[in-house]
Amino acid sequence: MSDYVVGLTGGIGSGKSTVADMFVALGVVLVDTDAIAHELTAPEGAAMPALIEAFGTGVLDAHGALDRGAMRRLVFAHLEMRERLEAILHPLIRTLSAERCRMAESSYVILAVPLLVESGTYRERCDRVLVVDCPESLQIERVRRRNGMTVDEVRAILAAQATRAQRLAIADDVLLNDSGLAAVAGQIGDLHRKYLQLAAKKLKASC
Ligand code: ADP
């Protein structure tokens, strides 16, 4: 059981998943709210009965999972639909992520929340917040390559997210991901040692 939670966040294309994978390679348990949302909306996922009741079978794909594209178009056009979707998914994600953090078998847990700045409730759960940071131009370049999007499409996503300055304002630690992967690995090694120490200190203080 782990009692030390490091919240991991960053804008799209900053390198959150890359960083999360490197912590996992060091044996740290990762609880990823995005991955949990995918699980909940997979065929037979725990959120599916409520989603079908609220939106009908028109939001299902051929496999019975939530058709994310169809859902995105629906909530984009209707604010009240977005609120209904969030009212179904968010409590389930909150509960499941809290349970998994508690049950984690590592000295500390990485809790990955893409919208940590935007959603205050997760921040309260974190002992520390790690922000993955890079210049906007790099975010755009990476997402363009990864998702085959146009610069304007990436810019539209960036405009809907917290700004770089807002994110940095809540950071306890900043991992600057503006060069190669070796530089990222070096920073992660240092942070890992620090988090192990902080987790041990908290555990000692609670005994
Ligand atoms: P996020 O999860 O924040 O959206 P990712 O970790 O998926 O970002 O990174 C976006 C893309 O950029 C991925 O294709 C990833 O492999 C690549 N990437 C991230 N950091 C680096 C880096 N330091 N060097 C090279 N490629 C990187």
Side-chain angles (χ1 to χ4, degrees), residues 31-44:
V31 177
D32 181 341
T33 53
D34 237 11
I36 290 176
H38 273 94
E39 269 176 53
L40 290 168
T41 56
E44 314 290 326

Side-chain angles (χ1 to χ4, degrees), residues 13-47:
S14 60
K16 288 180 301 298
S17 314
T18 306
V19 165
D21 288 348
M22 288 188 184
F23 276 105
V24 169
L26 293 173
V28 181
V29 170
L30 168 68
V31 177
D32 181 341
T33 53
D34 237 11
I36 290 176
H38 273 94
E39 269 176 53
L40 290 168
T41 56
E44 314 290 326

Side-chain angles (χ1 to χ4, degrees), residues 9-22 34 114 132 134 138-139 141-143 145-147 161 176-184:
T9 195
I12 185 168
S14 60
K16 288 180 301 298
S17 314
T18 306
V19 165
D21 288 348
M22 288 188 184
D34 237 11
V132 184
C134 73
L138 251 183
Q139 286 180 269
E141 187 47 35
R142 288 181 186 146
V143 178
R145 265 202 223 147
R146 186 188 62 188
N147 300 18
Q161 296 190 338
L176 184 60
N177 181 18
D178 66 350
S179 59
L181 293 174
V184 179

Side-chain angles (χ1 to χ4, degrees), residues 96-168:
L96 213 52
S97 58
E99 204 173 288
R100 290 188 186 172
C101 282
R102 255 197 320 277
M103 301 310 292
E105 301 268 344
S106 57
S107 304
Y108 68 93
V109 189
I110 294 284
L111 173 63
V113 187
L115 302 182
L116 189 70
V117 179
E118 294 85 340
S119 65
T121 51
Y122 283 99
R123 263 156 73 191
E124 289 166 17
R125 286 200 206 158
C126 299
D127 294 279
R128 220 165 162 85
V129 172
L130 169 60
V131 170
V132 184
D133 179 56
C134 73
E136 228 175 59
S137 54
L138 251 183
Q139 286 180 269
I140 293 171
E141 187 47 35
R142 288 181 186 146
V143 178
R144 223 177 46 75
R145 265 202 223 147
R146 186 188 62 188
N147 300 18
M149 288 178 170
T150 66
V151 172
D152 284 346
E153 282 169 335
V154 186
R155 279 195 196 287
I157 297 174
L158 286 177
Q161 296 190 338
T163 63
R164 193 176 175 190
Q166 284 169 327
R167 238 178 254 114
L168 291 175

